[in-house]
Amino acid sequence: MGGRNRFVWIMVAVMLLTWVTPAAEAAAASGAAREIEIVLDGKRLESDVSPYIVPEVYVTMVPLRLISEALGAEVSWNQQERQATIRGGDGKLIIMKQGLSNAIVNGQSAALDAPVANKSGYTMVPIRFIAEQLGLKVGWNQQDQRITLTTDDSEAPVPAAGAGEGLPGSEKAAPDSDGKGEKSELRGVWISTVYNLDWPSQASYGKSVQQMEEFRELLDELQELGMNAVFVQVRPAADALYPSELVPWSKYLTGTQGLAPDYDPLSFMIEETHKRNMEFHAWFNPFRAAVDTNTEQLASSHIVKQQPDWIVNAGGKLYINPGIPQARQHIIDAIMEVVNHYNIDGVHLDDYFYPSNTEFADDQTFLTYNPDKIASKADWRRSNINAFVRDLGQAINSAKPQVRFGISPFGVWRNQSTDKTGSDTKASLTAYDSMYADVRTWIKEGWIDYINPQLYWSLSFPAARYDKLVDWWVQEVKGTGVDLYIGHSPYKLGTKEAGWQSAQEIINQLEYNKRYSEIKGDIFFSAKDLRRNPLGIKEALRSYYP
């Protein structure tokens, strides 16, 4: 038994007893079902409890209750918390909550293939999760309808070619999985977590049930407005709304940075979003390290304390220096944790690269990390961001090519007065010169799947007219294969700025976008501003979207 506690293996073996494959289901439907044989270390096992398969995701769910029935292991159920607790040998402790697609295993959060559920009095869990957690070797013979389990270090029988195709709980994607092909119009909303702007509320600190309910209500409201995607800020300031080995838990969950909640918020949010057939895009603020300079409240694992030489104080905020290659790679690694471990639809970056309108002390970095001897610091800064975007895009595409990668830059690339190829605008800031975001290169090189400029001005704003900017961005993406999403600003409705005295302004912008096939959708900033319904924007959107 390789020294493992017998409880572990019997638990998994019993759960596997009634594993049904699509092939077996089809046979049953035709009246020719063949009993599945389960063999554990050469001994046949039997059970009369049937699992079920979660539609679309093809995950096999098996009963948890059989653990106590077959072995007498300590299993408890908390009805109020909807939580099952399993205590086995070797100190194994597994906690699962009904409806959540994560479990806590020995204090660590682990994502499930499908949420724990209750069916006919049985708590049901996904079998692949159990197998991965415990390292059980599983062989499947399609012809003989036999599952072979081995508990020692010997090799499990190798399945015949093609034998595992369609096996529930395998890595094979569901037929309806979205790829990077043609998609319907995207209608998205940014959900800010920094400062608890959109979610979760400060009142919910440390209260997982309240946080979950708040998010469900938020999704329901947004879907009612016609939205089909959310862009949720999962990295507000070099922290995380998910269990990470590289960065601490965000303080916006519990009020204290580094303090873990009792659930995996990201796993939960993805699950709830996908339940509603909405897309979930993980939004990362790449280079912001802290929203102020008070380092006493930062966790010991925070990058500011771990790598102080990477940090620059600029304008009263702390930033990770983009000029240091190791710092850029650290951010990429943190993002790839999410790409590799979660079923997200996209990776989304905002416009926080180099901070604008403030000094950024990187003279020494410019001298130290400049192998190409770039003469201009501005060009060198743009080269640093280009390298970051290129390397991140390549990492995402290599790991999960179906995950879309996009960036939301400041809405004006450059003014015509500075560059004749720029837009007919008179913006005081530009993405290229102020944030050192060389967006044109990202598009031409195909490092991103979409670009999402923040066009936060009206059709009647003289210095940066919405329609002129849309025209310019359309020309930038034309023929490149990079999609264009437009960022809108409902937060300006009701303000004194030109054009924002009626919700019709947003509708007119959406109508203008219809002129161009290159525009694949729209994203609104932010959720709280749609929910407060300035000037009746809710009713306007409900009427506009089918």
Side-chain angles (χ1 to χ4, degrees), residues 233-380:
Q233 192 176 39
V234 300
R235 177 189 168 91
D239 51 7
L241 271 75
Y242 52 90
S244 169
E245 296 181 357
L246 299 174
V247 297
W249 281 100
S250 174
K251 72 175 184 179
Y252 301 117
L253 292 166
T254 62
T256 301
Q257 188 176 87
L259 179 61
D262 62 357
Y263 76 118
D264 182 342
L266 181 53
S267 179
F268 164 76
M269 289 189 291
I270 293 171
E271 173 198 338
E272 289 296 324
T273 303
H274 287 168
K275 276 183 181 178
R276 293 161 175 78
N277 295 317
M278 301 172 73
E279 293 185 9
F280 187 98
H281 295 252
W283 163 18
F284 298 84
N285 185 299
F287 293 98
R288 181 167 61 198
V291 296
D292 54 36
T293 59
N294 183 4
T295 61
E296 293 181 0
Q297 297 183 7
L298 299 179
S300 60
S301 59
H302 194 275
I303 195 67
V304 169
K305 295 187 175 181
Q306 290 290 315
Q307 299 287 349
D309 292 342
W310 292 1
I311 305 303
V312 176
N313 183 339
K317 297 180 180 180
L318 302 182
Y319 295 86
I320 299 174
N321 192 338
I324 301 176
Q326 298 93 327
R328 296 196 300 266
Q329 187 59 49
H330 165 79
I331 299 169
I332 292 173
D333 292 343
I335 293 173
M336 291 306 297
E337 277 189 316
V338 173
V339 174
N340 289 324
H341 298 143
Y342 292 90
N343 183 29
I344 59 174
D345 298 294
V347 167
H348 182 82
L349 304 185
D350 52 32
D351 58 346
Y352 274 72
F353 299 108
Y354 283 90
S356 59
N357 279 347
T358 188
E359 291 294 322
F360 193 84
D362 59 352
D363 287 348
Q364 187 58 49
T365 310
F366 179 41
L367 295 175
T368 305
Y369 301 99
N370 190 2
D372 296 329
K373 306 300 181 183
I374 300 174
S376 162
K377 183 188 280 190
D379 288 339
W380 170 78

Side-chain angles (χ1 to χ4, degrees), residues 74-187:
E74 182 182 345
V75 177
S76 62
W77 173 256
N78 186 314
Q79 181 62 33
Q80 182 177 0
E81 295 292 333
R82 297 181 300 170
Q83 175 176 294
T85 301
I86 308 166
R87 297 183 184 275
D90 294 336
K92 178 68 68 175
L93 176 62
I94 302 174
I95 300 174
M96 301 178 178
K97 284 193 176 185
Q98 182 179 332
L100 296 187
S101 57
N102 72 291
I104 305 297
V105 181
N106 286 356
Q108 298 295 316
S109 179
L112 299 172
D113 302 305
V116 174
N118 187 284
K119 185 178 178 67
S120 302
Y122 290 93
T123 299
M124 310 294 289
V125 295
I127 184 58
R128 188 161 69 92
F129 168 77
I130 301 297
E132 288 177 350
Q133 288 295 319
L134 303 179
L136 186 68
K137 294 180 180 180
V138 182
W140 167 248
N141 186 303
Q142 176 74 28
Q143 181 176 355
D144 295 335
Q145 294 284 284
R146 180 186 298 124
I147 296 172
T148 304
L149 312 176
T150 54
T151 60
D152 54 23
D153 294 330
S154 63
E155 290 295 324
V158 179
E165 294 182 4
L167 199 62
S170 71
E171 292 289 353
K172 185 175 180 180
D176 295 334
S177 293
D178 290 333
K180 291 186 179 179
E182 292 297 319
K183 297 175 69 64
S184 60
E185 174 191 35
L186 181 137
R187 304 189 292 272

Side-chain angles (χ1 to χ4, degrees), residues 4 59 220 254 362 389 424 444 523:
R4 293 179 181 271
V59 172
D220 290 341
T254 62
D362 59 352
V389 172
D424 182 14
K444 287 186 175 181
I523 308 176

Side-chain angles (χ1 to χ4, degrees), residues 381-430:
R381 286 178 174 176
R382 281 184 283 270
S383 176
N384 295 331
I385 301 303
N386 283 350
F388 172 75
V389 172
R390 178 198 64 214
D391 294 349
L392 176 57
Q394 290 175 352
I396 295 170
N397 192 61
S398 176
K400 288 187 179 179
Q402 73 273 20
V403 172
R404 291 174 61 78
F405 173 39
I407 300 177
S408 180
F410 184 72
V412 178
W413 176 72
R414 298 191 94 185
N415 298 311
Q416 275 184 1
S417 59
T418 303
D419 187 325
K420 65 179 181 180
T421 66
S423 54
D424 182 14
T425 52
K426 298 178 181 179
S428 59
L429 299 176
T430 65

Side-chain angles (χ1 to χ4, degrees), residues 6 16 29 42 49 67 87 89 131 133 143 152-153 156 188 192 280 317 338 361 424 430 456 469 478 489 501 513 542:
R6 188 168 180 269
L16 277 165
V49 179
I67 298 172
R87 297 183 184 275
Q133 288 295 319
Q143 181 176 355
D152 54 23
D153 294 330
S192 298
F280 187 98
K317 297 180 180 180
V338 173
D424 182 14
T430 65
Y456 292 169
L469 283 166
K478 188 181 292 289
S489 55
Q501 287 69 52
N513 293 353
R542 286 193 198 102

